[in-house]
Amino acid sequence: MSTETATAGRTGIVNTTPKRLAAGAVGGFVGSLLMGALMQTLNPGTLQMGIPAMYGFEGPALGVGWAFHQWHGVVLGIVYVLGVENIGSLRRTARRLGGAVGLGVGYGVVTTALPVFVMPLWLSTMGFAGAPPFPNLAIPGTLVNAAMHVVYAVPVGLTYYAATGDTT
């Protein structure tokens, strides 16, 4: 009996298959590449200065920013999988194409809380002089951030769907 069949109907970290977790990681990596390309074009200071500063690196350090940005994307992709695996209605929705896109959009909006709430506090704690105010609700910047996070999260949802969804 396959792992997929053996764990049908069960949820949790223990019962989330490596295939599903890998789908989240791959989707997160791909989504981070897309988002990072937009970020480098629209707000290069975040990749060059902000993200490196979160980890104690003085910028400009574009390579360091990209590396940590990709790491964040992989981790958040795995968090998406753990979330949809543990909430039955989300699991069913994520396994349909339209649902996967919709959940990707929703997850993108939710992850916008990171640059709005978490990043300003983290950068201030690290003593970064360029830390944005808390909360970072500048318009149009927050809307641009939300759009970039949606560009990140839709590939996460689609990759999970491809690994688990009704592809008939």
Side-chain angles (χ1 to χ4, degrees), residues 21-39 66 69-78 148-160 162:
L21 293 172
V26 168
F29 189 85
V30 170
S32 287
L33 286 174
L34 297 172
M35 179 184 174
L38 286 172
M39 191 183 315
W66 265 102
H69 176 68
Q70 291 305 116
W71 172 248
H72 295 165
V74 167
V75 169
L76 288 173
I78 292 169
M148 288 191 295
H149 278 86
V150 167
V151 167
Y152 157 76
V154 168
V156 174
L158 290 174
T159 306
Y160 177 83

Side-chain angles (χ1 to χ4, degrees), residues 19-104:
K19 176 182 175 183
R20 294 174 188 163
L21 293 172
V26 168
F29 189 85
V30 170
S32 287
L33 286 174
L34 297 172
M35 179 184 174
L38 286 172
M39 191 183 315
Q40 191 167 341
T41 302
L42 300 172
N43 191 10
T46 301
L47 282 170
Q48 293 175 9
M49 304 292 286
I51 293 174
M54 292 169 67
Y55 294 93
F57 292 90
E58 287 192 34
L62 186 59
V64 172
W66 265 102
F68 280 115
H69 176 68
Q70 291 305 116
W71 172 248
H72 295 165
V74 167
V75 169
L76 288 173
I78 292 169
V79 168
Y80 172 87
V81 169
L82 293 173
V84 298
E85 288 283 305
N86 284 290
I87 301 171
S89 61
L90 291 183
R91 185 172 55 252
R92 288 184 296 277
T93 301
R95 293 182 181 185
R96 294 189 318 268
L97 180 57
V101 171
L103 285 175

